[in-house]
Amino acid sequence: MLPATKGIFDRLTRRGRLMTKRTCDRQGHVVRDGRFLFRTPTAWEYAAAVACGSDPAAQRWLGWQPGSIVDELSRADALRVVPGTGPDWASPDPQSVDLVMIDVEANRCVGLVSVHTGEDGGPETGGYLAPDYRGHGHGRALFAAGLVLAHDHLGLPRVRAGAEVGNVASARSLQAAGLARVAGPPTYRLPDGRVTEAWWFEHAAPRPVRCAGPQATWFPASLL
Ligand SMILES: CC(C)(COP(=O)(O)OP(=O)(O)OC[C@H]1O[C@@H](n2cnc3c(N)ncnc32)[C@H](O)[C@@H]1OP(=O)(O)O)[C@@H](O)C(=O)NCCC(=O)NCCS
């Protein structure tokens, strides 16, 4: 086989493998919820996912550092990434397990959900949707996938989520996914340094399990 042809063949088979993979393995996690597939992103899928949260309306709540935000000119390109393409990728945050949200019917990357270390050192979930996927109730599926990742893949018996006071769409979506309001610190700090008032939510599972995917081994047992 000519090297150039082999490259195309490899990319096609790679895409097929990524899109048909149904179970977790050492390379990543897979969670399915109806038309949405959540899984460990490739580098290009991650770029698309970051673009989903880079618009000013999302940044109003997410508060990323400027260097993490995909600028307006690049956003449209990033959002056109075809799911299943791109090389393997490792999260820039070593204490975060990130899943890209893919709309299988539209064949698009439409958001990101993560389970990561919160300010108290315990597990937190959070995420965001692409602009045109907000306002349709898909936040429930997004955060429900975060719970499945935490409890049924990472073996975590409890996971928290914070929302800025006033982010009603986030609070309602977290509750629709099954999280309950709990007490917590009055504020939290966003990545850009802004300190915001916080609502806290929590979900517990009595019998969490670990899958064959990469594990969040950094959580201290005392906080689980
Ligand atoms: C937060 C987010 C995931 C929520 O998902 P969503 O699917 O867009 O949520 P919706 O807009 O459908 O709102 C969920 C519910 O809140 C209600 N709601 C939303 N904004 C509201 C408001 N200002 N006042 C009253 N109710 C409101 C909706 O009517 C809906 O009600 P329902 O459950 O009875 O149908 C999504 O909007 C998003 O990605 N936002 C940008 C980033 C972000 O804020 N991330 C979370 C950081 S903590």
Side-chain angles (χ1 to χ4, degrees), residues 124-164:
E124 273 183 24
T125 188
Y128 50 84
L129 299 168
D132 53 336
Y133 277 71
R134 297 176 205 147
H136 301 285
H138 298 316
R140 185 212 61 78
L142 178 80
F143 294 132
L147 298 184
V148 171
L149 175 63
H151 299 315
D152 301 343
H153 292 250
L154 303 179
L156 300 168
R158 126 189 125 76
V159 62
R160 285 199 155 208
E164 182 172 341

Side-chain angles (χ1 to χ4, degrees), residues 42-173:
T42 66
W44 298 354
E45 288 169 346
Y46 184 72
V50 174
C52 290
S54 288
D55 58 294
Q59 285 305 311
R60 154 74 183 81
W61 305 109
L62 297 170
W64 296 343
Q65 291 182 358
S68 306
I69 297 168
V70 179
D71 65 70
E72 190 174 359
L73 281 176
S74 312
R75 275 208 293 278
D77 279 344
L79 289 168
R80 277 196 291 271
V81 163
V82 175
T85 59
D88 287 346
W89 172 88
S91 170
D93 180 349
Q95 296 198 346
S96 181
V97 179
D98 302 330
L99 301 184
V100 62
M101 179 177 185
I102 295 167
D103 180 346
V104 175
E105 287 171 15
N107 203 29
R108 281 188 51 191
C109 300
V110 298
L112 182 133
V113 66
S114 69
V115 173
H116 54 266
T117 307
E119 281 182 18
D120 69 353
E124 273 183 24
T125 188
Y128 50 84
L129 299 168
D132 53 336
Y133 277 71
R134 297 176 205 147
H136 301 285
H138 298 316
R140 185 212 61 78
L142 178 80
F143 294 132
L147 298 184
V148 171
L149 175 63
H151 299 315
D152 301 343
H153 292 250
L154 303 179
L156 300 168
R158 126 189 125 76
V159 62
R160 285 199 155 208
E164 182 172 341
V165 170
N167 192 347
V168 180
S170 181
R172 297 274 300 249
S173 299

